[in-house]
Amino acid sequence: MLRREAPTTVALLPDERAFATMRRYRSFRFDRYDAYRRETDGLLRALAARTEHVRVTLLDPGDYARYCATTGTDPDTAAARARYTADRQHPVLTYQGQRLTELIDRLRAADAARRAGRRPEPDNRPDQSKAPPGTLTPDPSPALRDACDRAVELIGGLLLGAGAGRHHLVCSVRLPDAAGGQSLTAALHTGDDRTTGEVEINREAALALALVLAAGITTLGTGGVVLRSTHRESEVVHGWRLVGSRLRPLTTAEVFTAYCTDPYTGEPLAPEPGVEHRAGFFLPDADR
């Protein structure tokens, strides 16, 4: 009876890169990401079937390693991972039977928004009472508005250039020291409606992606965008580097290096089977 009243939080590894990093620990016994996802999905369903209050959060391998170093905890133990999940102040979501892809995208968007300092407008401002949740406060400067417009334009150009299929966009930006020196990341997963051909986009994730890209543009930060597209049975990866307010296409070799390097250790990662690395395509510079 008490188990039904005890909240449970499960930490999710968001992608195969994070999974590959966690495989360095012998106590982490999974050897394939697809098997890990199936087991995690089964665990969440089993917990929910017991009518327990189940929540999910992200497991960031880099943050986990720093946490263990700070607390003097052996990272190569299941107990350390459980303690990290309980102690960290990352965004959490209530599990209600959602797909793992949806959960991960929403958690990434929430974490990117947290890092970027986004918050809703206060209720005591009558002139802002109809502003949608997530509006930047205080009111954005003209430069920031322009950067947000440019970010939306670039994201639209990426999706138009990618064509039909399912796409996963990840934007990573490192702000200059003068702007706080933070590392911001956001991801957007899109699909398409086979009956209408319209692109299906999660608004919250798209907003977080645009905010991160706009932060890099307005502060002249460093970073870039990776686009992973699934067309029937094939998967293709493109990449771009952020230069001012433009996304400069990476070469095929640069895309391979960026995608097959562990972001936490700098060590090379084995390329994924069936994934083709291609140069980024050019985006229009004219405002639309």
Side-chain angles (χ1 to χ4, degrees):
M1 291 175 62
L2 285 175
R3 285 187 62 85
R4 295 179 179 178
E5 301 181 23
T8 301
T9 303
V10 177
L12 307 176
L13 288 169
D15 52 39
E16 296 196 42
R17 282 190 175 188
F19 179 82
T21 302
M22 291 304 296
R23 286 196 63 201
R24 295 179 301 171
Y25 303 117
R26 296 182 61 183
S27 61
F28 187 77
R29 299 181 179 275
F30 289 95
D31 57 3
R32 297 201 329 272
Y33 186 58
D34 58 347
Y36 164 81
R37 286 177 65 104
R38 285 196 303 270
E39 292 290 337
T40 302
D41 185 64
L43 171 64
L44 291 172
R45 293 180 183 278
L47 291 172
R50 298 186 205 171
T51 67
E52 298 177 0
H53 181 61
V54 184
R55 304 187 304 174
V56 292
T57 187
L58 290 180
L59 173 53
D60 182 329
D63 187 58
Y64 171 69
R66 290 188 290 272
Y67 168 82
C68 291
T70 302
T71 59
T73 306
D74 180 4
D76 199 359
T77 62
R81 292 190 286 276
R83 181 179 173 184
Y84 167 83
T85 300
D87 286 354
R88 305 309 284 164
Q89 299 299 313
H90 291 301
V92 295
L93 293 175
T94 300
Y95 175 72
Q96 297 176 321
Q98 304 97 317
R99 294 181 304 168
L100 286 187
T101 299
E102 178 185 349
L103 289 170
I104 290 171
D105 284 349
R106 290 182 60 190
L107 287 168
R108 276 176 155 167
D111 192 53
R114 175 184 66 86
R115 293 170 183 267
R118 179 165 61 92
R119 65 184 187 275
E121 288 285 350
D123 294 334
N124 59 351
R125 295 177 61 183
D127 58 326
Q128 298 287 333
S129 60
K130 295 183 180 180
T135 300
L136 286 170
T137 57
D139 292 338
S141 66
L144 184 53
R145 287 183 183 276
D146 290 344
C148 288
D149 290 343
R150 178 59 174 164
V152 171
E153 177 188 349
L154 290 172
I155 293 170
L158 290 169
L159 293 177
L160 284 172
R166 291 182 290 113
H167 309 292
H168 191 72
L169 277 167
V170 179
C171 178
S172 301
V173 169
R174 173 75 178 181
L175 302 184
D177 291 340
Q182 290 177 297
S183 294
L184 308 178
T185 303
L188 172 64
H189 182 82
T190 74
D192 53 10
D193 190 317
R194 295 184 179 181
T195 59
T196 65
E198 293 182 350
V199 177
E200 298 174 342
I201 297 178
N202 179 282
R203 184 180 181 277
E204 183 181 30
L207 175 60
L209 186 74
L211 285 171
V212 169
L213 185 54
I217 292 173
T218 196
T219 63
L220 299 180
T222 58
V225 174
V226 171
L227 168 65
R228 179 168 177 154
S229 300
T230 302
H231 306 283
R232 294 183 180 178
E233 301 301 325
S234 64
E235 288 192 291
V236 179
V237 175
H238 300 276
W240 293 262
R241 177 179 287 113
L242 179 62
V243 181
S245 63
R246 299 183 179 184
L247 288 176
R248 184 185 72 78
L250 298 178
T251 65
T252 301
E254 288 173 327
V255 172
F256 181 88
T257 299
Y259 209 73
C260 298
T261 301
D262 190 311
Y264 305 106
T265 66
E267 296 294 323
L269 296 174
E272 296 178 56
V275 176
E276 181 181 355
H277 302 87
R278 294 183 186 173
F281 46 82
F282 285 92
L283 299 174
D285 290 325
D287 293 335
R288 292 177 297 173

